[in-house]
Amino acid sequence: MGVTAILGGQWGDEGKGKIVDYLAKDADIVARFSGGNNAGHTVINDQGEFKLHLVPAGAFWPQVLCVIGNGVVVDPDALLDEISGLQKRGIDLNGRLVVSERAHLVMPHHTVLDGLSEIAKGSQALGTTGRGIGPAYTDKAARIGIRAADLSDVDALLPRLESVLDHANAIITKVYGGEALSLEEVFDSCKRWSENLSPFIGPVEHIVYDAVEGGKTVILEGAQGALLDLDHGTYPYVTSSHPTIGGAQTGLGLLPRQIDAVLGVFKAYSTRVGSGPFVTELLGETGDTMRERAKEFGTTTGRPRRVGWFDSVVARYSTRVNGYTSLIINKLDVLDDFDSIKVCSHYELDDEVVWDFPGSAGALERCTPVYEELPGWDGTTAGVTKLADLPDEAIAYVRRLEELTGVPVDMISTGPHRRESVEVRSVIQT
Ligand code: GDP
């Protein structure tokens, strides 16, 4: 299997966690490379139902080393809570979780700044999860971030923490009228993190490099999705990191030649959380039905997700920026009871036909979807594990998605449980 990236093809929440958990049965390493605990994967397997925010979804296979790369921003308390929560449920990560020493920390002032800046933006708010992720990446780029490695010598960290906090407190109090954070309290937290997190901090680039060169099987676990990428997404309604394939390389120190396969995970329809253009959005009754059936409420925030039909303009663009070697179509079961199913083949913009995803948010707001209508299916896909057991119309639908994106589908997911998965490549390609 070599090195396989599992990337979100749309706006995140595609069900990557379920897929990684399924594929990790054959993996030696599962590595996160971007985002923070704003990401949320729900994984359901024989051990139960789990909500993961920072820990990679390979955690449930005892042979897997879980890695958090330098491209991830780590909220130490969130990570420690997650580790101990898993421990209580019999998932022991001691000796099998490594956090890059180069990963930046989400500090208490980042969370405060995230909340204050969203409130200040009013109707222009981005709809962030409020977990401090954006401000942590901002400080990383501004070169005033604190990294996991800094926890190894907290006394040396103190003077820098003081100047970082002075700067953050000036913004909190003078720009937003908020309350300053206490240096002493933040420093105490650093000492506690140093003690509790140190056993997990290590040289990820070397560990991953050695594993890859040694022929091990490595899964790169994406968080969020291509359309939320800081560069390639629907800016400014994007996340602060790179959930695309380039982010997988810089976020782990991988070499381009080391990545063997790139799997794009898509829902059989579309969703997005937060603000920003969404051409195939369904606002009426059909949308409500889809949301309820699909249980489209955020894992991290509980927010209702916006829903819509599958958008192949998005899928082709996402394929362009990620270079998928194959696709995985998730949540096909959500479409089970629809009489007919629409797929957006292209857009219209100011009376022009548009096949390629526009770069400007303003242009996207003016695009209208052009749909093909495909028949729904009698019977159910829910829980199906063999291609032969899927209704013909469901297979025809997946085949049409392949045609519209130009990429073969490797796998179909028919339910949230690990076992509700259909491996299909050879059949669909014929
Ligand atoms: P991720 O961040 O990409 O892993 O996605 P989330 O976990 O945020 O959201 C996906 C949701 O869909 C979770 O609640 C999963 O349990 C659920 N899910 C995953 N695959 C399927 C599927 O094939 N069918 C159904 N009905 N639910 C699924």
Side-chain angles (χ1 to χ4, degrees):
M1 210 175 146
V3 179
T4 304
I6 312 285
L7 304 181
Q10 297 155 312
W11 281 278
D13 312 312
E14 296 91 351
K16 299 172 291 294
K18 181 232 157 131
I19 299 299
V20 171
D21 173 56
Y22 176 84
L23 295 175
K25 62 183 185 295
D26 299 319
D28 300 297
I29 289 183
V30 176
R32 275 276 308 266
F33 59 82
S34 72
N37 60 318
N38 53 343
H41 296 319
T42 303
V43 170
I44 305 178
N45 53 36
D46 294 341
Q47 286 138 290
E49 176 169 347
F50 299 87
K51 309 249 184 238
L52 299 174
H53 299 287
L54 278 164
V55 170
F60 307 98
W61 298 97
Q63 86 285 359
V64 167
L65 175 69
C66 293
V67 166
I68 295 180
N70 57 282
V72 178
V73 289
V74 177
D75 178 327
D77 282 326
L79 180 60
L80 289 165
D81 282 353
E82 204 169 321
I83 294 169
S84 71
L86 286 167
Q87 177 89 39
K88 282 191 198 117
R89 296 183 64 189
I91 314 296
D92 184 7
L93 289 166
N94 284 307
R96 87 191 172 84
L97 171 69
V98 190
V99 179
S100 169
E101 53 203 354
R102 293 182 169 83
H104 279 246
L105 303 183
V106 179
M107 300 292 289
H109 52 275
H110 294 140
T111 318
V112 171
L113 281 166
D114 202 356
L116 290 172
S117 74
E118 279 289 274
I119 293 167
K121 286 193 187 100
S123 64
Q124 300 294 307
L126 296 173
T128 77
T129 55
R131 310 265 154 138
I133 309 303
Y137 280 114
T138 303
D139 280 4
K140 175 179 177 177
R143 290 159 294 175
I144 51 172
I146 310 286
R147 304 195 302 173
D150 295 322
L151 296 178
S152 65
D153 186 354
V154 279
D155 290 331
L157 170 63
L158 184 58
R160 205 153 63 76
L161 183 65
E162 189 171 3
S163 97
V164 163
L165 211 56
D166 276 350
H167 174 76
N169 277 336
I171 300 173
I172 290 170
T173 56
K174 293 182 187 150
V175 176
Y176 297 117
E179 212 171 299
L181 279 83
S182 132
L183 174 64
E184 199 186 338
E185 279 175 28
V186 176
F187 188 57
D188 282 347
S189 297
C190 289
K191 287 194 273 195
R192 186 168 45 79
W193 298 332
S194 170
E195 210 169 300
N196 298 332
L197 265 188
S198 289
F200 296 103
I201 296 172
V204 157
E205 300 80 1
H206 297 289
I207 294 168
V208 173
Y209 181 88
D210 291 347
V212 175
E213 295 303 302
K216 302 273 192 211
T217 297
V218 179
I219 290 178
L220 315 178
E221 174 182 314
Q224 287 96 24
L227 274 292
L228 292 175
D229 185 276
L230 183 57
D231 281 277
H232 300 292
T234 46
Y235 194 89
Y237 303 100
V238 292
T239 197
S240 314
S241 61
H242 298 284
T244 45
I245 192 65
Q249 287 170 18
T250 53
L252 282 162
L254 271 174
L255 309 182
R257 68 164 168 82
Q258 289 177 317
I259 298 178
D260 299 297
V262 185
L263 308 192
V265 183
F266 286 81
K267 288 181 190 181
Y269 50 97
S270 305
T271 61
R272 96 166 279 172
V273 176
S275 317
F278 183 5
V279 178
T280 63
E281 182 165 19
L282 284 166
L283 292 168
E285 209 177 298
T286 314
D288 292 341
T289 309
M290 195 184 269
R291 182 178 305 105
E292 291 300 326
R293 264 186 214 161
K295 301 198 185 77
E296 291 294 356
F297 302 90
T299 308
T300 296
T301 58
R303 283 185 289 186
R305 294 174 183 149
R306 299 160 67 194
V307 299
W309 296 115
F310 188 91
D311 185 339
S312 53
V313 183
V314 162
R316 284 191 296 272
Y317 173 68
S318 163
T319 301
R320 179 82 44 86
V321 296
N322 276 331
Y324 303 128
T325 48
S326 59
L327 306 185
I328 295 174
I329 302 297
N330 265 4
K331 303 188 86 163
L332 188 61
D333 54 298
V334 168
L335 302 182
D336 271 358
D337 291 320
F338 285 94
D339 292 335
S340 72
I341 298 164
K342 289 184 181 170
V343 183
C344 170
S345 56
H346 61 281
Y347 300 157
E348 274 174 8
L349 170 63
D350 306 334
D351 296 327
E352 300 277 327
V353 170
V354 172
W355 288 89
D356 295 328
F357 195 67
S360 124
L364 273 170
E365 295 286 8
R366 298 201 313 283
C367 283
T368 52
V370 179
Y371 288 117
E372 294 180 4
E373 197 154 350
L374 284 86
W377 40 88
D378 281 334
T380 175
T381 68
V384 167
T385 58
K386 290 198 205 85
L387 189 73
D389 295 338
L390 286 177
D392 289 346
E393 294 84 355
I395 296 177
Y397 177 69
V398 174
R399 203 184 295 270
R400 187 67 190 133
L401 301 188
E402 283 189 320
E403 287 165 359
L404 286 166
T405 51
V407 186
V409 170
D410 249 5
M411 202 174 135
I412 298 168
S413 173
T414 58
H417 196 283
R418 181 192 282 165
R419 79 172 85 84
E420 295 170 313
S421 309
V422 188
E423 295 196 29
V424 292
R425 180 168 206 157
S426 54
V427 184
I428 290 274
Q429 273 187 318
T430 55

